[in-house]
Amino acid sequence: DGGITQSPKYLFRKEGQNVTLSCEQNLNHDAMYWYRQDPGQGLRLIYYSQIVNDFQKGDIAEGYSVSREKKESFPLTVTSAQKNPTAFYLCASSKEGQVYTGELFFGEGSRLTVL
Amino acid sequence: GIQVEQSPPDLILQEGANSTLRCNFSDSVNNLQWFHQNPWGQLINLFYIPSGTKQNGRLSATTVATERYSLLYISSSQTTDSGVYFCVSPLYSGAGSYQLTFGKGTKLSVIP
């Protein structure tokens, strides 16, 4: 079945460590996104990518980094510079390369806890 | 600024009741979607509805783009309908760019 796979679902890390969250899609979508959700809140955009080897910062990019070496993959690294990394992270994709012109689909999310 | 307002913020229903959730936008609506976030956090696509009305089982949605609002109807609610409902649309943010804007959600609790 086509879809978006995020891993790991749950992750614990110590302060000062970098951690990478995986996002893979087999929908042949051009655009991919990373969102952060805090308890009781809506979603905030971290980074997005419209095509391979290109990505743009969203509203809260500080302390995060991404890469888009393959169309199917858009990993997110939460660096030690992120002051409050404990959150629920959601990856999404849409078919069209122009951002937000198509229907969004989400992965199941990754829940990161910093100890 | 760009705003998406959802109402009500919280809703408690007896199983079997009907409800209407509303989403108001500060700008023209474009590519509007409704999602249901289940208790495990997964966002499930309900409707992709830039305009008009769509139905899917007990759920239906209507978007009136010119009046900048969308409605989600849930009929004969079930406990599995519990969760948070989000509406989202890309709204023009100036300089030729759009910003995908989420509402804060409506938290629905359906009790047996």
Side-chain angles (χ1 to χ4, degrees):
Chain A
D1 285 347
I4 302 172
T5 302
Q6 289 187 239
S7 63
K9 285 188 169 45
Y10 299 92
L11 184 61
F12 298 87
R13 84 149 208 223
K14 294 181 180 179
E15 279 192 26
Q17 290 180 335
N18 292 355
V19 61
T20 297
L21 308 179
S22 170
C23 179
E24 303 277 333
Q25 54 99 357
N26 60 4
L27 300 168
N28 198 32
H29 285 177
D30 289 314
M32 297 186 73
Y33 315 80
W34 274 105
Y35 288 91
R36 169 183 171 136
Q37 187 179 29
D38 294 287
Q41 303 296 315
L43 277 68
R44 292 184 291 168
L45 182 65
I46 305 172
Y47 270 98
Y48 65 95
S49 167
Q50 295 174 262
I51 56 172
V52 174
N53 292 323
D54 187 52
F55 47 83
Q56 284 79 40
K57 293 182 179 180
D59 300 318
I60 55 166
E62 185 175 351
Y64 299 97
S65 66
V66 293
S67 63
R68 186 89 186 274
E69 298 178 1
K70 299 186 300 182
K71 186 175 184 178
E72 302 79 20
S73 179
F74 191 41
L76 173 75
T77 297
V78 184
T79 75
S80 56
Q82 169 50 233
K83 300 301 182 192
N84 186 18
T86 294
F88 187 52
Y89 291 89
L90 285 154
C91 178
S93 70
S94 63
K95 184 177 181 184
E96 285 77 11
Q98 283 192 346
V99 173
Y100 307 146
T101 59
E103 187 173 2
L104 268 183
F105 295 87
F106 282 87
E108 294 185 347
S110 293
R111 199 170 298 276
L112 172 63
T113 302
V114 175
L115 305 173
Chain B
I2 301 168
Q3 290 186 348
V4 179
E5 294 182 356
Q6 289 191 242
S7 59
D10 294 279
L11 183 60
I12 300 174
L13 294 177
Q14 198 76 39
E15 196 171 23
N18 303 330
S19 64
T20 300
L21 281 57
R22 186 179 179 102
C23 198
N24 288 334
F25 295 87
S26 60
D27 201 349
S28 299
V29 175
N30 185 24
N31 294 340
L32 186 138
Q33 284 186 252
W34 282 96
F35 291 94
H36 173 216
Q37 188 167 38
N38 65 22
W40 297 271
Q42 187 176 6
L43 279 162
I44 300 165
N45 292 44
L46 296 178
F47 294 100
Y48 176 66
I49 183 168
S51 64
T53 297
K54 288 186 178 180
Q55 180 151 9
N56 184 4
R58 296 182 295 103
L59 274 60
S60 64
T62 296
T63 296
V64 184
T66 53
E67 297 188 19
R68 304 176 183 178
Y69 74 89
S70 183
L71 302 173
L72 177 69
Y73 306 96
I74 303 175
S75 64
S76 303
S77 58
Q78 300 175 359
T79 56
T80 52
D81 294 332
S82 297
V84 182
Y85 290 80
F86 289 102
C87 60
V88 56
S89 178
L91 300 178
Y92 188 65
S93 57
S97 62
Y98 285 79
Q99 178 177 334
L100 192 65
T101 306
F102 282 80
K104 291 188 176 180
T106 291
K107 184 177 180 181
L108 174 64
S109 301
V110 181
I111 56 177

